[in-house]
Amino acid sequence: MQSVLNSVKGTALNVAEYLTPVLKESKFRETGVLTPEEFVAAGDHLVHHCPTWQWAAGDETKTKPYLPKDKQFLITRNVPCYRRCKQMEYVGEETLVEEESGDGGWVETHQLNDDGTTQLEDKICELTMEEIKDEMHTPDSEKSAPGAGAEAEDEDDDEAIDMDDFEESGMLELVDPAVATTTRKPEVESKASPAAGATGENEASGDPVLHTRTYDLHITYDKYYQTPRLWVVGYDEQRKPLTVEQMYEDVSQDHAKKTVTMESHPHLPGPNMASVHPCRHADIMKKIIQTVEEGGGQLGVHLYLIIFLKFVQTVIPTIEYDFTQNFNMS
């Protein structure tokens, strides 16, 4: 039902965007929106400071006349995603610890036992070694007799053996008991499904191999909301596209199918892509601008996309794309 509503809403917004005139006058400080020229300037600044981002032209039939032909949208490829969002969820219990003054309290996320240890045990990979018998032996070890100990006591009284005779006797070929010899057990061939890395089934079955997904990220200009818009498309280790549900595994559950929906790309043909809806972007940017100005600073419009990438990462926290410069709010 939610997908149907998103589809209807997306169609209506496409019509509204078509009818919306292009913003000509800057309203960045007043409302947190961008003109197409400001979007290009912010994109140039991002590409300069973070070369993993590049401008792209897209499909010629989808070129927007209010943007330069070679700067229709921004793209970065092969961004790693090592974990699923559910792996970041905290599974421990929280305890409210009250202050004696009664003014407030704080949350203790780690409870201690009587011996001072935490209730959450570290997951450690235990290494076990099986006893290997008869690894160190000599050819005469099985021929030892009960009286061998007595004969050994008289060895010191014998004359030293000539080295040439010792070599010719073949004694050098004996296994030195001081050297450990090991035997490798045959490895059991794994018959895991090729798609296990992409679907996450390997995690449930205890597969210790880390299967990394990668994402291509696009930033477009939304003419209706007059803000940047983020698009993502994911791939498994074999560079096969992820399904819709698999991509939702890498989206914060508070935003999946709500803030993040599947829609058609404005500059590329093909299947729908996951997109972070831009309806709140201008409000968030306006609050950031006000916070900076209250602290006596001034925020330039060229920093828009750098700040945009930072606050939108809360929606896709496991996709590690933010390698841009730091930004100080004060």
Side-chain angles (χ1 to χ4, degrees), residues 7-287:
S7 178
V8 173
K9 186 177 180 180
T11 303
L13 288 175
N14 289 336
V15 175
E17 181 179 4
Y18 177 78
L19 298 176
T20 300
V22 178
L23 182 64
K24 299 293 184 180
E25 184 180 351
S26 177
K27 296 183 179 180
F28 168 66
R29 300 193 183 283
E30 295 83 355
T31 59
V33 299
L34 290 176
T35 65
E37 291 78 12
E38 290 173 333
F39 173 75
V40 173
D44 288 340
H45 184 79
L46 176 65
V47 170
H48 175 74
H49 287 277
C50 189
T52 55
W53 287 93
Q54 296 293 330
W55 283 107
D59 189 89
E60 292 184 359
T61 61
K62 293 178 174 287
T63 299
K64 308 299 181 183
Y66 48 84
L67 291 171
K69 289 185 178 181
D70 58 340
K71 295 182 178 181
Q72 292 288 298
F73 67 99
L74 291 151
I75 183 172
T76 182
R77 294 182 173 89
N78 299 322
V79 179
C81 180
Y82 298 108
R83 296 179 295 171
R84 310 288 78 80
C85 278
K86 64 181 179 181
Q87 293 177 300
M88 299 183 64
E89 296 178 359
Y90 183 72
V91 296
E93 297 181 355
E94 295 181 348
T95 302
L96 181 62
V97 180
E98 298 290 345
E99 294 181 354
E100 295 181 358
S101 61
D103 294 335
W106 52 278
V107 175
E108 179 186 28
T109 58
H110 295 81
Q111 302 181 34
L112 299 179
N113 299 324
D114 295 336
D115 57 355
T117 60
T118 60
Q119 291 181 349
L120 296 177
E121 298 180 355
D122 294 334
K123 296 181 179 180
I124 303 174
C125 228
E126 297 182 356
L127 299 178
T128 59
M129 296 184 61
E130 297 181 0
E131 296 182 358
I132 303 176
K133 298 181 180 180
D134 301 333
E135 286 185 348
M136 298 180 295
H137 59 84
T138 62
D140 296 333
S141 59
E142 298 178 356
K143 300 180 181 179
S144 57
E151 296 177 359
E153 297 178 357
D154 299 334
E155 288 182 357
D156 293 339
D157 299 335
D158 296 339
E159 295 181 0
I161 301 177
D162 184 83
M163 290 301 298
D164 294 335
D165 296 338
F166 184 80
E167 183 176 355
E168 292 177 358
S169 66
M171 294 295 288
L172 289 177
E173 304 297 329
L174 297 180
V175 178
D176 187 354
V179 178
T181 59
T182 59
T183 56
R184 180 184 293 273
K185 292 185 177 182
E187 298 181 356
V188 180
E189 295 183 358
S190 174
K191 297 183 179 180
S193 172
T199 60
E201 294 177 357
N202 58 299
E203 298 169 1
S205 61
D207 186 358
V209 178
L210 180 64
H211 295 274
T212 303
R213 295 175 176 179
T214 56
Y215 277 84
D216 292 349
L217 277 62
H218 303 178
I219 301 177
T220 63
Y221 178 77
D222 191 290
K223 187 164 72 85
Y224 179 75
Y225 287 101
Q226 300 165 346
T227 62
R229 184 169 188 171
L230 183 68
W231 304 76
V232 298
V233 56
Y235 304 91
D236 63 14
E237 286 187 323
Q238 287 74 39
R239 197 61 184 176
K240 295 179 180 179
L242 299 178
T243 64
V244 174
E245 293 303 322
Q246 288 171 345
M247 284 192 285
Y248 278 140
E249 293 175 355
D250 298 322
V251 175
S252 170
Q253 295 306 302
D254 294 334
H255 302 90
K257 300 181 181 180
K258 300 174 184 176
T259 306
V260 178
T261 56
M262 303 299 296
E263 300 184 35
S264 58
H265 196 285
H267 299 284
L268 297 174
N272 290 351
M273 294 175 58
S275 174
V276 181
H277 202 273
C279 58
R280 296 294 307 279
H281 293 352
D283 292 337
I284 295 174
M285 183 57 68
K286 181 181 177 181
K287 292 179 181 178

